[in-house]
Amino acid sequence: LNTADVLTDSNGIDVTASNAGGVRIDTTAGDVVAQSSTGIRIGNYGPGDVVLTTGNVAQLGGGNTIDVVGQAGSGSITIDTSAGTIESANTALFVYSFGTGDVSVTTGDVTSFSGIFVGASSTSTVGNVSVDTSAGALDFVNGSLTVRNYSSVAEVTRVVTGSVSNRSPYNNGYGVNVRAG
Protein backbone atom coordinates (compact mmCIF):
# COMPACT_ATOMS: atom_id res chain seq x y z
CA LEU A 1 0.00 0.00 0.00
CA ASN A 2 1.45 3.36 -1.06
CA THR A 3 -0.42 6.50 -0.04
CA ALA A 4 -0.20 10.26 -0.30
CA ASP A 5 -2.12 12.45 2.17
CA VAL A 6 -4.55 10.74 4.56
CA LEU A 7 -6.77 12.91 6.81
CA THR A 8 -9.47 11.26 8.88
CA ASP A 9 -11.61 11.67 12.00
CA SER A 10 -10.80 8.13 13.18
CA ASN A 11 -8.08 5.60 12.20
CA GLY A 12 -5.94 6.94 9.36
CA ILE A 13 -4.77 3.56 8.01
CA ASP A 14 -6.04 0.32 9.56
CA VAL A 15 -4.71 -3.01 8.21
CA THR A 16 -5.23 -6.55 9.50
CA ALA A 17 -3.23 -9.25 7.72
CA SER A 18 -3.56 -13.00 8.08
CA ASN A 19 -1.89 -14.17 4.88
CA ALA A 20 1.64 -15.33 4.21
CA GLY A 21 2.50 -12.22 2.20
CA GLY A 22 2.76 -9.82 5.13
CA VAL A 23 2.18 -6.06 5.02
CA ARG A 24 4.13 -3.31 3.24
CA ILE A 25 3.00 0.30 3.67
CA ASP A 26 4.76 3.45 2.44
CA THR A 27 3.29 6.87 3.30
CA THR A 28 6.35 9.00 2.48
CA ALA A 29 4.49 10.71 -0.40
CA GLY A 30 2.26 12.61 2.04
CA ASP A 31 1.05 13.14 5.60
CA VAL A 32 -1.15 10.88 7.72
CA VAL A 33 -3.31 12.83 10.19
CA ALA A 34 -5.84 11.15 12.50
CA GLN A 35 -8.04 13.56 14.42
CA SER A 36 -9.36 11.30 17.19
CA SER A 37 -7.90 7.80 16.95
CA THR A 38 -4.86 5.84 15.69
CA GLY A 39 -2.85 7.24 12.78
CA ILE A 40 -1.62 3.87 11.46
CA ARG A 41 -2.66 0.52 12.94
CA ILE A 42 -1.32 -2.82 11.68
CA GLY A 43 -2.24 -6.23 13.10
CA ASN A 44 -0.28 -9.11 11.60
CA TYR A 45 -1.75 -12.55 12.27
CA GLY A 46 0.15 -14.36 9.51
CA PRO A 47 3.73 -15.56 9.01
CA GLY A 48 4.69 -12.63 6.74
CA ASP A 49 6.71 -9.57 7.64
CA VAL A 50 5.52 -6.02 8.37
CA VAL A 51 7.43 -3.17 6.68
CA LEU A 52 6.19 0.36 7.42
CA THR A 53 7.90 3.46 6.01
CA THR A 54 6.38 6.84 6.81
CA GLY A 55 6.70 10.54 6.27
CA ASN A 56 4.86 12.82 8.70
CA VAL A 57 2.31 11.14 10.96
CA ALA A 58 0.14 13.02 13.46
CA GLN A 59 -2.46 11.81 15.92
CA LEU A 60 -4.43 14.58 17.60
CA GLY A 61 -6.81 12.71 19.94
CA GLY A 62 -6.88 9.32 21.73
CA GLY A 63 -5.11 6.19 20.57
CA ASN A 64 -1.53 5.60 19.48
CA THR A 65 -0.04 7.42 16.52
CA ILE A 66 1.46 4.22 15.10
CA ASP A 67 0.32 0.88 16.52
CA VAL A 68 1.85 -2.36 15.15
CA VAL A 69 1.33 -5.81 16.67
CA GLY A 70 2.68 -9.09 15.30
CA GLN A 71 0.89 -12.12 16.75
CA ALA A 72 2.38 -15.57 17.45
CA GLY A 73 3.93 -17.03 14.31
CA SER A 74 4.32 -13.66 12.60
CA GLY A 75 7.53 -12.57 10.90
CA SER A 76 9.72 -9.54 11.42
CA ILE A 77 8.56 -5.96 12.01
CA THR A 78 10.50 -3.10 10.40
CA ILE A 79 9.38 0.48 10.96
CA ASP A 80 11.19 3.53 9.58
CA THR A 81 9.69 6.96 10.28
CA SER A 82 12.91 8.92 9.72
CA ALA A 83 11.62 10.51 6.48
CA GLY A 84 9.22 12.63 8.55
CA THR A 85 8.09 13.53 12.04
CA ILE A 86 5.69 11.93 14.49
CA GLU A 87 3.40 14.15 16.57
CA SER A 88 1.20 12.46 19.14
CA ALA A 89 -1.34 13.47 21.77
CA ASN A 90 -0.78 10.02 23.28
CA THR A 91 1.80 7.26 22.58
CA ALA A 92 3.83 7.99 19.45
CA LEU A 93 4.77 4.40 18.65
CA PHE A 94 3.47 1.17 20.15
CA VAL A 95 5.20 -1.84 18.60
CA TYR A 96 4.89 -5.37 19.99
CA SER A 97 5.83 -8.75 18.56
CA PHE A 98 4.73 -12.15 19.79
CA GLY A 99 6.38 -13.62 16.67
CA THR A 100 9.87 -14.94 16.04
CA GLY A 101 11.25 -12.32 13.64
CA ASP A 102 13.42 -9.30 14.29
CA VAL A 103 11.90 -6.01 15.46
CA SER A 104 13.57 -2.88 14.06
CA VAL A 105 12.40 0.70 14.65
CA THR A 106 14.09 3.81 13.22
CA THR A 107 12.73 7.30 13.87
CA GLY A 108 13.39 10.94 13.16
CA ASP A 109 11.86 13.67 15.33
CA VAL A 110 9.14 12.50 17.71
CA THR A 111 6.96 14.75 19.89
CA SER A 112 4.64 12.80 22.16
CA PHE A 113 2.72 12.93 25.41
CA SER A 114 3.44 9.31 26.40
CA GLY A 115 6.57 8.33 24.48
CA ILE A 116 7.51 5.20 22.53
CA PHE A 117 7.08 1.53 23.51
CA VAL A 118 8.80 -1.30 21.62
CA GLY A 119 8.45 -4.81 22.98
CA ALA A 120 8.79 -8.47 22.10
CA SER A 121 7.95 -11.72 23.88
CA SER A 122 7.75 -15.36 22.99
CA THR A 123 7.84 -18.66 24.83
CA SER A 124 10.60 -19.79 22.47
CA THR A 125 12.68 -17.13 20.77
CA VAL A 126 12.27 -13.61 19.52
CA GLY A 127 14.66 -12.16 17.00
CA ASN A 128 16.84 -9.13 17.62
CA VAL A 129 15.19 -5.97 18.94
CA SER A 130 16.78 -2.80 17.57
CA VAL A 131 15.69 0.83 18.08
CA ASP A 132 17.55 3.77 16.50
CA THR A 133 16.26 7.29 17.18
CA SER A 134 19.54 9.08 16.42
CA ALA A 135 18.20 10.72 13.22
CA GLY A 136 16.06 13.09 15.31
CA ALA A 137 15.10 14.36 18.73
CA LEU A 138 12.63 12.69 21.11
CA ASP A 139 10.49 15.13 23.12
CA PHE A 140 8.10 13.57 25.65
CA VAL A 141 5.73 15.39 28.00
CA ASN A 142 5.21 12.42 30.35
CA GLY A 143 6.84 9.36 28.88
CA SER A 144 9.99 7.64 27.74
CA LEU A 145 11.53 5.45 25.10
CA THR A 146 10.76 2.04 26.60
CA VAL A 147 12.22 -1.10 25.01
CA ARG A 148 11.46 -4.61 26.30
CA ASN A 149 12.56 -8.04 25.10
CA TYR A 150 10.74 -10.61 27.24
CA SER A 151 11.88 -13.69 25.32
CA SER A 152 12.70 -16.73 27.42
CA VAL A 153 15.76 -16.97 25.16
CA ALA A 154 16.52 -13.24 24.87
CA GLU A 155 18.47 -12.14 21.84
CA VAL A 156 20.29 -8.86 21.27
CA THR A 157 18.49 -5.68 22.29
CA ARG A 158 20.14 -2.62 20.70
CA VAL A 159 19.11 0.98 21.37
CA VAL A 160 20.79 4.04 19.81
CA THR A 161 19.45 7.50 20.63
CA GLY A 162 20.06 11.12 19.86
CA SER A 163 18.52 13.84 22.00
CA VAL A 164 15.87 12.60 24.48
CA SER A 165 13.78 14.99 26.57
CA ASN A 166 11.29 13.96 29.27
CA ARG A 167 9.60 17.03 30.72
CA SER A 168 7.69 15.27 33.51
CA PRO A 169 8.83 15.46 37.12
CA TYR A 170 6.62 12.39 37.82
CA ASN A 171 8.16 9.76 35.52
CA ASN A 172 11.18 8.83 37.65
CA GLY A 173 13.37 10.81 35.29
CA TYR A 174 13.45 8.06 32.65
CA GLY A 175 14.19 9.23 29.15
CA VAL A 176 15.21 5.76 28.00
CA ASN A 177 14.21 2.54 29.78
CA VAL A 178 15.53 -0.82 28.42
CA ARG A 179 15.05 -4.37 29.77
CA ALA A 180 15.92 -7.71 28.19
CA GLY A 181 15.48 -11.30 29.28
Side-chain angles (χ1 to χ4, degrees), residues 1 13-17 22-23 25 40-45 67:
L1 172 65
I13 298 172
D14 192 341
V15 176
T16 300
V23 177
I25 297 175
I40 300 170
R41 190 200 73 76
I42 301 170
N44 188 19
Y45 296 87
D67 188 322

Side-chain angles (χ1 to χ4, degrees), residues 27-38:
T27 69
T28 56
D31 298 339
V32 175
V33 179
Q35 299 289 335
S36 63
S37 195
T38 302

Side-chain angles (χ1 to χ4, degrees), residues 111-113 139-143 164-171 174:
T111 301
S112 168
F113 182 81
D139 183 16
F140 306 135
V141 174
N142 185 25
V164 179
S165 171
N166 173 349
R167 295 181 270 148
S168 172
Y170 306 108
N171 199 24
Y174 292 129

Side-chain angles (χ1 to χ4, degrees), residues 60-81:
L60 308 175
N64 302 324
T65 304
I66 298 174
D67 188 322
V68 178
V69 176
Q71 296 298 330
S74 61
S76 65
I77 297 174
T78 304
I79 298 172
D80 186 346
T81 69

